[in-house]
């Protein structure tokens, strides 16, 4: 493999890790008004992701930075063409992060309710818009001969992209509910399991529709095979919930999300942003990449620091692995 191919794979890995990890804390935040029916349960839910949510967000920063350094043409076209949705994602993430820190600063129900609304907004909006963005990247957008985005905001809100956004949002909601079931005990876990049983079939239908559409229009043998693996993982996760195996259920929904992202990248390769105006104007791993020397330096740095980051983030999850209950919350 050339270094351009290696970095395409590494960026795919970063986005896959981001969607799996940030996916469940987006789901927890979005489900706050559904499962957090009183202040104690809301605090239990927030505490399940409290030690890890900010670490999960680092993955998207690294993915963006790696795209900028390894594929500057891709980065420039993506961030100029998708400026408004990416700005909305950024604002939502800022509000969400501030809300986690500020909601407990005053003992006031109205104060906490406002920040809880920010948590929900900051979880739902990115969960939906990331799906819209990646669906558009896979489908292709109007890119001219100069490699610049030639469309507008409304071009991004096509039926395929909206289904992609609905897919990521529904998958993250299910993933978050499974995480709550894994990380809690007592009444809130029981409520999460009931929600999973109702939400699961809906998510299966939405995700299957999106993966089939992707396979028919943009897929190849490899991406279709990966999509089938995603579907099997999702069904396996739901069966594990029924069997009371929370760990296997979480592994199933995580694998379903991860394999879905991989399927999109496999369908995309060797393009990084296909042009819907002329296939010859598409950005590819070759014409959008940095110089070989830049990629070589990046590979050395990534080889040194990536294992360290994975080790300390894995250690964080291990330290905070125990289940939480209402009794864990001080008055």
């Amino acid at each position: 493999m050339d270094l351009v191919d290696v970095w395409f794979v590494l960026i795919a890995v970063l986005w896959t890790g981001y969607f799996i990890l940030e996916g469940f804390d987006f789901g927890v935040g979005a489900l706050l008004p559904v499962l957090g029916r009183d202040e104690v349960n809301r605090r239990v839910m927030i505490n399940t992701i409290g030690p890890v949510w900010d670490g999960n967000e680092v993955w998207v920063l690294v993915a963006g930075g790696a795209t900028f350094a390894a594929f500057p043409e891709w980065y420039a076209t993506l961030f100029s063409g998708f400026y408004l949705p990416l700005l909305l994602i950024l604002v939502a993430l800022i509000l969400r992060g501030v809300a986690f820190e500020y909601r407990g600063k005053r003992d006031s129900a109205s104060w906490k309710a406002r920040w809880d609304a920010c948590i929900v907004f900051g979880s739902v909006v990115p969960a939906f818009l990331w799906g819209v963005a990646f669906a558009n990247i896979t489908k292709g957008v109007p890119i001219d001969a100069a490699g610049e985005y030639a469309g507008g905001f409304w071009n991004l809100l096509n039926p395929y992209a909206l289904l992609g956004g609905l897919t990521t949002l529904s998958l993250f909601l299910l993933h978050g509910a499974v995480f709550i079931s894994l990380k809690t005990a007592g009444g809130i876990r029981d409520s999460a399991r009931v929600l999973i049983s109702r939400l699961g079939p809906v998510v299966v239908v939405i995700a299957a529709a999106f993966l089939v559409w992707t396979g028919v229009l943009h897929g190849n043998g490899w991406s279709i095979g990966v999509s089938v693996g995603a579907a099997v993982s999702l069904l396996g996760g739901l069966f594990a919930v029924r069997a009371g195996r929370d760990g296997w259920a979480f592994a199933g929904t995580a694998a379903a999300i991860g394999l879905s992202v991989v399927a999109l990248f496999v369908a995309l390769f060797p393009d990084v942003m296909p042009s819907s105006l002329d296939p010859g104007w598409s950005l590819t791993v070759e014409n959008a990449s940095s110089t070989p020397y830049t990629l070589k330096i990046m590979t050395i740095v990534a080889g040194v620091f990536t294992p360290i980051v994975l080790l300390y983030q894995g250690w964080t999850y291990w330290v905070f692995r125990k289940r939480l209950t209402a009794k864990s919350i001080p008055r």
Side-chain angles (χ1 to χ4, degrees), residues 15 31 62-63 102 106 140 147 162 166 234-235 238 264 285 291 297 305:
W15 281 110
L31 292 173
V62 178
Y102 273 54
R106 289 177 57 184
L162 293 174
L166 191 59
L234 181 58
L235 292 174
L238 294 176
L264 294 181
V285 292
T291 63
I297 297 299
F305 289 102

Side-chain angles (χ1 to χ4, degrees), residues 39-41 43-44 47 103-104 106-107 112 325-331:
E39 175 60 15
V40 172
N41 281 339
R43 288 176 65 186
V44 170
N47 284 4
R103 78 175 301 276
R106 289 177 57 184
D107 189 15
K112 293 177 180 178
T325 67
K327 295 180 180 179
S328 308
I329 304 300
R331 291 186 178 180

